[in-house]
Amino acid sequence: MMARLIIGNDKSKSRIDKNIYGHFSEHLGRCIYEGIWVGKDSTIPNTDGIRNDVAEALRKIKIPVLRWPGGCFADEYHWMDGIGPYEQRPKMVNTHWGGVVENNHFGTHEFMRLCELIGAEPYICGNLGSGTVQEMQQWVEYITFDGESPVSNIRRENGREEPWKLPYFGVGNENWGCGGNMRAEYYADEYRRYATYIRNFGGNKVYKIACGPNTADYHWTEVLMREAGNMMHGLSLHYYTVPGTDWEHKGSAVDFNENGWFETLKKTLFMEELIKRHSAIMDRYDKDKRVALIVDEWGTWYAVEPGTNPGFLYQQNTLRDALVAGINLNIFNNNCDRVRMANIAQMINVLQAVILTEDDKIVLTPTYHVFDMYKVHQDAELLPLMLECDEYRLGEDTLPQISASASVDKDGKVNISLCNLSHEDSADIDCPLSGLSVFKGGMPSSVTGTILTAPVMNAHNTFSDPENIKPTAFTGASLKDGRLTAVLPAMSVTLLTVE
Ligand code: AHR
């Protein structure tokens, strides 16, 4: 059957917050060190110690917000170890991630510089699990206070006269697990205590994000909204797509067949149900949707690349990951009335990375290309859509064959992102567009497109073949009498722009 896509006229429903296209970078494996930070004396071209090639690639995809320093690392991190002259910064052991030595050379000043260089807003996650209230309070004060205080004076001694803006702050990470193994009831009280001391200085307004549920822990959401909902701006949600029988037996990133393809896409589609069910609980306490659901860790998690440190979570990234990215971003777009930030895990060299590095070389992954294609949705108005499509069947199991979302940007261009999940069937799309008030005279006049696809499902880029899979112009769409039709190849992510 032909897939029918009906786009509604009601463009005022919700804005797709650009922060849905956010990223996450943790002191884990080679994300920060090697991936971002090479130090000022490196032979790899850098600006103040930050790789130029990586910064340039990140600027291109317009990363709106960057979360740091963890993850599980955040609840072991003591920010004062990461300021001042490098030779005086104490070393620590990164117990969570490989037991390696952390020399603290990448700290607050370096993170803020990174954000400036790539044009992202900072989202810092504080230490509630093993840190004090005073420590958390003073971190925000160190960064944002323009007056005289012991910590703001230390900032000046460290070479930064003006305070920075710090728009987003997380009050702990996964406090149901690595962040202290707390019960929801206990964390809710701790959240209230710590959040009390996160102050707004000068014109800086901190948007406070509470640790939210692990996957389908609906009890956590209920308790947090009931006990602390009025003291937070956002509640986080973590959900990873983990193919394989269990955490101990995860599937490979590259070596998989159609079962691994199907299983991964099925698991990733669970994100929709999670968002709907957590949102329904939030609606009972916050019908006006003041509190955002912040999906600040999401993405694929496979077995590590053979021969690499198991604590470094380094994995390849294939066309399958491009589909995972496209599907999740469509889900976030379509639920943007509640989901107002998401941060893929993680930006470089860890889990579903957009960039991989090896010495002075970089590779842009298929996931990078999806973020590049979808950036047109950032801050655009969501267009509601109704989709009727075939089932994608494998054995007895089925999934919808198509995932889609649509928005209209400030210039009146309509962008439609479409994923064809099937590993073998193309999909015919029919989309009546005449009468849509976003077009002059209610009639669209042109369509252009970009597609990411490949002949094999595990197509990926390597350091010796970095452009094996990359977007190309899409010529399979046409417009006639206000009707958009397209043929989407199997295993593809497509972005159509209609004006
Ligand atoms: O992203 C890797 C880890 O996954 C993070 O440190 C933690 O928050 C989550 O369990």
Side-chain angles (χ1 to χ4, degrees):
M1 124 182 160
M2 177 150 290
R4 269 178 74 79
L5 200 66
I6 313 283
I7 297 189
N9 231 341
D10 160 31
K11 71 167 178 162
S12 60
K13 192 185 155 213
S14 302
R15 184 174 58 90
I16 297 175
D17 197 311
K18 64 178 193 284
N19 287 341
I20 283 176
Y21 292 81
H23 288 244
F24 169 40
S25 56
E26 180 169 9
H27 288 239
L28 193 180
R30 297 186 304 111
C31 180
I32 299 291
Y33 299 106
E34 292 187 36
I36 294 167
W37 178 257
V38 287
K40 296 174 187 168
D41 300 331
S42 172
T43 52
I44 297 177
N46 67 85
T47 303
D48 301 332
I50 294 162
R51 291 178 76 125
N52 290 346
D53 49 2
V54 165
E56 189 190 331
L58 295 176
R59 267 195 302 275
K60 178 160 185 264
I61 55 173
K62 294 197 187 328
I63 293 183
V65 61
L66 180 60
R67 180 173 183 251
W68 172 83
C72 294
F73 182 80
D75 282 285
E76 291 206 86
Y77 181 61
H78 300 285
W79 68 271
M80 282 203 173
D81 294 346
I83 54 172
Y86 293 126
E87 61 288 357
Q88 286 169 25
R89 297 188 191 182
K91 295 187 170 62
M92 70 179 277
V93 53
N94 190 336
T95 47
H96 264 290
W97 305 118
V100 293
V101 174
E102 160 66 57
N103 66 13
N104 276 307
H105 283 193
F106 191 90
T108 303
H109 291 248
E110 292 75 18
F111 173 65
M112 292 309 226
R113 184 74 181 116
L114 168 67
C115 289
E116 271 168 22
L117 283 176
I118 65 174
E121 287 192 303
Y123 167 15
I124 287 185
C125 184
N127 179 347
L128 181 142
S130 71
T132 63
V133 175
Q134 182 187 21
E135 189 180 355
M136 191 181 283
Q137 175 185 25
Q138 289 187 329
W139 198 3
V140 176
E141 187 175 314
Y142 181 88
I143 294 171
T144 61
F145 187 43
D146 49 358
E148 286 268 328
S149 80
V151 286
S152 62
N153 285 340
I154 299 175
R155 184 192 72 231
R156 291 188 185 91
E157 283 162 24
N158 287 335
R160 176 80 190 190
E161 180 59 39
E162 293 299 312
W164 291 277
K165 289 277 183 234
L166 178 58
Y168 304 103
F169 196 84
V171 185
N173 168 74
E174 296 195 353
N175 302 93
W176 37 260
C178 64
N181 285 305
M182 300 172 191
R183 293 173 310 115
E185 292 75 4
Y186 182 78
Y187 172 75
D189 282 344
E190 286 292 87
Y191 173 83
R192 292 166 63 108
R193 187 162 76 106
Y194 278 72
T196 301
Y197 297 95
I198 297 170
R199 310 287 188 199
N200 291 327
F201 292 109
N204 189 68
K205 295 259 177 303
V206 184
Y207 185 101
K208 297 174 198 173
I209 299 169
C211 163
N214 177 21
T215 312
D217 182 352
Y218 301 112
H219 173 73
W220 187 279
T221 300
E222 180 83 38
V223 172
L224 263 289
M225 288 304 292
R226 189 181 66 221
E227 304 298 340
N230 62 344
M231 287 185 67
M232 66 179 76
H233 300 99
L235 181 70
S236 74
L237 165 67
H238 289 184
Y239 172 58
Y240 284 96
T241 300
V242 189
T245 42
D246 54 49
W247 278 90
E248 299 308 311
H249 304 92
K250 294 188 282 295
S252 155
V254 172
D255 189 11
F256 60 90
N257 58 17
E258 60 270 25
N259 295 317
W261 171 275
F262 188 94
E263 177 200 3
T264 304
L265 301 191
K266 180 174 179 170
K267 286 184 170 170
T268 227
L269 282 163
F270 183 49
M271 182 65 90
E272 177 93 44
E273 176 179 330
L274 288 173
I275 290 173
K276 293 275 188 264
R277 293 189 62 182
H278 286 294
S279 298
I281 297 168
M282 294 174 81
D283 284 349
R284 281 198 276 109
Y285 295 94
D286 173 35
K287 64 176 175 19
D288 297 332
K289 301 188 193 293
R290 185 190 62 80
V291 180
L293 188 61
I294 306 281
V295 190
D296 58 15
E297 290 189 29
W298 68 273
T300 50
W301 192 322
Y302 305 117
V304 297
E305 282 302 295
T308 64
N309 187 329
F312 280 15
L313 311 186
Y314 178 72
Q315 63 189 39
Q316 249 296 356
N317 195 293
T318 70
L319 176 58
R320 179 175 61 168
D321 294 271
L323 270 290
V324 167
I327 291 168
N328 278 284
L329 292 170
N330 282 338
I331 293 173
F332 301 150
N333 287 349
N334 289 329
N335 289 281
C336 65
D337 56 341
R338 184 64 88 174
V339 178
R340 298 204 279 274
M341 189 196 292
N343 308 75
I344 190 168
Q346 297 193 6
M347 194 161 72
I348 303 179
N349 290 334
V350 170
L351 300 177
Q352 193 177 346
V354 292
I355 298 177
L356 304 176
T357 70
E358 191 178 86
D359 304 322
D360 62 349
K361 296 191 278 297
I362 72 169
V363 150
L364 307 179
T365 66
T367 299
Y368 175 95
H369 294 305
V370 173
F371 272 83
D372 197 21
M373 289 160 67
Y374 274 50
K375 68 188 177 195
V376 290
H377 287 306
Q378 291 189 22
D379 276 343
E381 295 287 330
L382 179 75
L383 289 171
L385 56 81
M386 243 179 55
L387 173 66
E388 286 167 14
C389 66
D390 275 341
E391 286 177 339
Y392 163 35
R393 178 174 288 276
L394 194 75
E396 294 301 296
D397 219 346
T398 59
L399 299 176
Q401 190 185 349
I402 306 291
S403 149
S405 67
S407 68
V408 55
D409 72 10
K410 59 179 180 359
D411 302 321
K413 289 184 186 160
V414 171
N415 289 298
I416 310 171
S417 43
L418 294 150
C419 303
N420 180 358
L421 280 60
S422 171
H423 69 277
E424 54 188 356
D425 294 328
S426 61
D428 293 332
I429 303 284
D430 172 41
C431 178
L433 287 171
S434 62
L436 240 63
S437 61
V438 295
F439 300 119
K440 265 201 202 96
M443 271 310 240
S445 55
S446 72
V447 58
T448 51
T450 309
I451 186 165
L452 187 69
T453 187
V456 291
M457 59 177 68
N458 70 349
H460 57 282
N461 294 329
T462 62
F463 296 99
S464 52
D465 191 3
E467 301 207 346
N468 178 44
I469 164 165
K470 61 178 183 181
T472 54
F474 179 64
T475 51
S478 55
L479 267 178
K480 196 165 170 231
D481 302 331
R483 252 193 141 73
L484 169 70
T485 54
V487 183
L488 306 177
M491 305 188 293
S492 61
V493 181
T494 305
L495 193 277
L496 299 179
T497 302
V498 189
E499 329 185 27

